[in-house]
Amino acid sequence: MTTPPTASTVDVPALRELLDSDDRPRLIDVRTPGEFETGHIPGSYNVPLDLLREHRAELRAHLDEQVVLVCRSGQRAGQASQALATAGLPNLRVLHGGIGAWQAAGEAVSAGRPRWDLERQVRLVAGSIVLGSVLTSTTVPRAKWLAAAIGGGLTFAALSNTCAMGMALSKLPYNRGPKCDMAAVLSALASDRS
């Protein structure tokens, strides 16, 4: 079995140029619905990474042109590109630096209800657990092992390019935002084609 090619990246100025051209790419934002609702590139479609992985073959049938994948930083979009590449989708690109780079360049964003980014939530939860366990370890010495476990988990997350804590936090009602189902996504993709 051959390994699918990884998607190339596109920077903000190049994406702006593509969006202003007659051959506009499809923008697929793979963040959670809550993150998407907070702010997204106008004209993008929200297909959370888990949903994209599960329905990549169905998406393949609706995405035959250029596709640019967007997330917060580019990490989840890179994972989405691998999933879509295994389904045989050509012309995949990942927005380098994600929505953060887009906003930093002063580009337009459709904004909704503000929420903390998932990565910021992970830092808060991990930091709170480590701080709490270190403080607790002054009276209960075994509590230091909780801090060690969190440190080990963060190290594994960096090495494996995954984040179990982030995946768990994305399931919370605060992060789910409006429901995103594949039938609605496919319908929107099909109607925008005409």
Side-chain angles (χ1 to χ4, degrees):
M1 181 175 185
T2 60
T3 303
T6 57
S8 62
T9 59
V10 60
D11 62 9
V12 172
L15 179 56
R16 169 51 46 214
E17 191 174 306
L18 286 170
L19 292 174
D20 291 339
S21 74
D22 292 334
D23 190 24
R24 289 178 53 99
R26 294 280 185 125
L27 296 176
I28 305 295
D29 192 317
V30 300
R31 296 175 298 152
T32 65
E35 289 175 296
F36 183 80
E37 183 184 46
T38 297
H40 58 272
I41 299 172
S44 59
Y45 301 89
N46 184 218
V47 185
L49 183 57
D50 289 344
L51 192 65
L52 180 140
R53 285 180 176 146
E54 183 180 337
H55 297 280
R56 62 181 165 233
E58 294 169 73
L59 278 169
R60 167 67 178 99
H62 290 81
L63 298 172
D64 55 1
E65 63 277 349
Q66 295 183 70
V67 175
V68 176
L69 299 158
V70 179
C71 68
R72 182 186 175 280
S73 64
Q75 179 181 345
R76 285 178 279 175
Q79 293 172 19
S81 76
Q82 290 174 344
L84 290 173
T86 62
L89 188 67
N91 304 321
L92 296 168
R93 295 188 201 164
V94 171
L95 177 59
H96 181 73
I99 191 77
W102 183 261
Q103 290 173 306
E107 293 291 346
V109 173
S110 294
R113 188 178 119 203
R115 286 186 171 91
W116 279 19
D117 290 329
L118 202 53
E119 291 178 30
R120 184 177 181 191
Q121 294 175 51
V122 168
R123 291 190 301 264
L124 174 69
V125 171
S128 297
I129 292 171
V130 168
L131 179 62
S133 62
V134 168
L135 292 175
T136 303
S137 73
T138 61
T139 57
V140 181
R142 288 186 174 179
K144 67 183 172 200
W145 295 111
L146 182 55
I150 295 297
L154 292 173
T155 301
F156 177 78
L159 294 173
S160 65
N161 204 20
T162 61
C163 185
M165 188 181 293
M167 295 301 267
L169 289 172
S170 73
K171 307 289 187 223
L172 294 175
Y174 172 82
N175 290 317
R176 279 187 267 168
K179 182 153 175 58
C180 183
D181 66 64
M182 188 48 66
V185 170
L186 296 177
S187 174
L189 288 169
S191 68
D192 284 350
R193 225 180 242 201
S194 16

